Amino acid sequence: MPPRASRGRLADAGLFTAGAVLGSVLLLTLASPFSSSSSPSSGVGSGEVDRLGGGRTFYDDPGVAYTIDRPIVGWDEKRAEWLRAHPELAGGGGERVLMVSGSQPEPCGSPAGDSLLTRLLKNKLDYCRLNGVQLLYNTALLRPSMDRYWAKIPVVRAAMVAHPEAEWVWWVDSDAVLTDMDFRLPLSRYRDHNFVAHGWPHLVYESRSWTSLNAGVFLIRNCQWSLDFMDAWAAMGPDSPEYQHWGAVLTSTFKDKVFNESDDQSALVYMLLQSGSPWRDKVYLESDYYFEGYWLEIAGRLGNITERYEAMERGAAPLRRRHAEAEHASYAAARDAALAGAGLAESGVSGWRRPFVTHFTGCQPCSGHRNEHYTGKSCDEGIRRALSFADDQVLRAYGFRHAGPLSDAVSPLPFDHPTQTA
């Protein structure tokens, strides 16, 4: 499916974007094991302090910084050494995923903004709880010079250093809704790649469009390549003394780009377009499913998708069984098998599988300064519809569902739903 037009980026250029944000990281500092701070009142004896952290790691090296302005070298070796020293945190053979998201530190300007941000956060917490993903949600600008849509890069960089146990960092804009609680990232699909974004190769390399991919949701491997990649990406941002120059370069490169500013998405496409690009071979542009889906393509179809799932379950009694939330993964796998058997497994605009991520780009739920092409009603109702659609998948394990797609009220589910109606 071709990408949407400017998707709100022009309107967003002078504002905090809903998801390009912002992180308040609570840092807990431990006293040096060589200090005298381990007093009886601290509750930590000298033996416990001596055991903290084991041997020396990169954390003991003052040359390793969390900030984007100080490059890290030898990260793969440093991270591997840390993992060897902490096998209990190494993931047990699996690839750990850390979701990172956030929102602005100050209250929202839109009357309903703070309530919507809370529901958007709950949606991410629900998905992560059900699918074994850790969530880092940030609410402060880590590098003030890199604001708006550039603010996510310092957050992701700091998260990589703070979480060497994570193989992947998954950035998700705050205005994105996880609308399929069953779907898990197909990580094996990306085994030979280090960066995944929703996009279309022919639109990147042939049409040379700045909307040929979306930078609001991406998956990045925790490795040296990725640190170097983010350094190169950030070098085109507002921290660079050549920021104005890059705005002119990007505007002249992309004929469909109408604002003369260097933004993260245009910069990302530009990096891929360069002859001999060291990044292209390790970037996977995902278009086979809604890794990040445009809300206008999705919101109006959610009711029909629910009906298809319910029709499928009426013919599959095991899927209707009530069960503990802890059994979610087993039932999700069974639903996937039933979808395939019913010919409903195809994703995207022509498919009937639940969209994985519905992205309300341009709606600006916090500020209320939405893209001029979208009405307040379409954005607000679309977000509420997507949140209720996702929430119903969670509430089912508790015996409830929303009374309607735009209702905040909930109703008890009848036994043997959806065969029985309330």
Side-chain angles (χ1 to χ4, degrees):
M1 181 70 184
R4 40 282 195 190
S6 65
R7 294 182 47 169
R9 285 299 186 115
L10 178 58
D12 297 346
L15 303 167
F16 281 102
T17 55
V21 284
L22 315 176
S24 180
V25 180
L26 179 61
L27 298 176
L28 302 178
T29 57
L30 296 168
S32 166
F34 304 106
S35 72
S36 60
S37 60
S38 53
S39 62
S41 61
S42 71
V44 180
S46 60
E48 286 81 358
V49 171
D50 289 340
R51 287 194 293 272
L52 287 176
R56 290 180 63 84
T57 69
F58 66 85
Y59 288 114
D60 301 296
D61 180 357
V64 175
Y66 296 88
T67 55
I68 193 71
D69 61 320
R70 295 178 61 185
I72 295 176
V73 296
W75 176 243
D76 292 340
E77 294 77 12
K78 290 178 171 65
R79 180 170 171 254
E81 182 181 9
W82 186 91
L83 290 170
R84 285 193 296 270
H86 299 82
E88 75 283 2
L89 302 175
E95 293 188 311
R96 291 198 180 193
V97 177
L98 172 70
M99 181 189 290
V100 181
S101 187
S103 53
Q104 66 186 45
E106 63 269 14
C108 290
S110 170
D114 290 310
S115 174
L116 283 174
L117 282 186
T118 299
R119 291 191 65 186
L120 288 161
L121 169 58
K122 176 191 178 296
N123 168 258
K124 295 171 179 64
L125 287 167
D126 283 339
Y127 178 86
C128 290
R129 183 182 71 255
L130 292 173
N131 292 282
V133 175
Q134 188 176 7
L135 173 64
L136 171 63
Y137 194 89
N138 302 325
T139 56
L141 194 59
L142 294 189
R143 190 165 183 82
S145 57
M146 296 184 71
D147 58 0
R148 297 175 292 160
Y149 28 70
W150 288 101
K152 59 194 165 195
I153 294 179
V155 177
V156 171
R157 157 63 183 270
M160 285 185 173
V161 179
H163 290 272
E165 79 284 359
E167 179 67 16
W168 294 95
V169 174
W170 181 17
W171 173 265
V172 181
D173 274 2
S174 66
D175 59 349
V177 182
L178 282 299
T179 37
D180 189 350
M181 292 291 164
D182 290 352
F183 191 85
R184 295 193 175 193
L185 290 165
L187 297 179
S188 62
R189 184 185 182 105
Y190 313 128
R191 65 172 64 88
D192 296 325
H193 297 83
N194 295 332
F195 186 91
V196 182
H198 190 208
W200 300 264
H202 71 284
L203 293 177
V204 171
Y205 302 115
E206 298 172 21
S207 301
R208 298 169 69 91
S209 169
W210 79 284
T211 60
S212 54
L213 56 77
N214 184 272
V217 179
F218 61 80
L219 189 65
I220 188 166
R221 192 183 295 276
N222 194 351
C223 65
Q224 183 68 53
W225 181 98
S226 298
L227 294 178
D228 296 341
F229 176 82
M230 286 192 293
D231 287 344
W233 195 5
M236 302 174 72
D239 232 16
S240 169
E242 298 184 332
Y243 181 54
Q244 298 300 323
H245 165 73
W246 280 119
V249 169
L250 296 176
T251 303
S252 65
T253 300
F254 303 109
K255 303 309 179 185
D256 58 342
K257 182 176 169 65
V258 296
F259 60 100
N260 186 23
E261 185 175 1
S262 177
D263 67 284
D264 63 321
Q265 187 165 293
S266 297
L268 179 55
V269 180
Y270 184 86
M271 289 168 65
L272 298 181
L273 281 176
Q274 298 316 293
S275 177
S277 168
W279 318 115
R280 185 184 299 182
D281 289 345
K282 291 295 184 180
V283 172
Y284 193 106
L285 296 178
E286 180 62 83
S287 59
D288 286 351
Y289 67 94
Y290 275 126
F291 181 82
E292 173 275 341
Y294 183 34
W295 65 275
L296 276 178
E297 296 174 358
I298 294 172
R301 301 178 61 237
L302 294 177
N304 290 336
I305 292 173
T306 296
E307 291 174 2
R308 294 282 183 132
Y309 271 70
E310 290 183 350
M312 175 189 71
E313 291 191 7
R314 290 189 189 101
L319 295 180
R320 301 196 302 269
R321 290 186 61 197
R322 295 188 297 185
H323 57 273
E325 187 179 78
E327 298 176 272
H328 175 84
S330 298
Y331 278 81
R335 271 189 292 271
D336 282 349
L339 282 170
L344 301 176
E346 183 180 353
S347 186
V349 176
S350 60
W352 288 104
R353 186 186 176 100
R354 295 166 181 155
F356 184 36
V357 176
T358 304
H359 191 190
F360 287 86
T361 180
C363 280
Q364 294 289 316
C366 183
S367 70
H369 298 292
R370 60 187 57 84
N371 183 293
E372 61 184 6
H373 298 294
Y374 308 143
T375 66
K377 181 178 181 181
S378 65
C379 278
D380 294 344
E381 289 191 359
I383 293 174
R384 291 176 60 200
R385 192 178 297 274
L387 287 168
S388 293
F389 178 84
D391 203 31
D392 279 345
Q393 298 169 47
V394 178
L395 287 172
R396 182 172 182 173
Y398 299 84
F400 289 86
R401 72 179 301 176
H402 284 268
L406 296 176
S407 175
D408 294 330
V410 297
S411 303
L413 281 173
F415 187 80
D416 205 30
H417 173 84
T419 299
Q420 301 294 326
T421 58

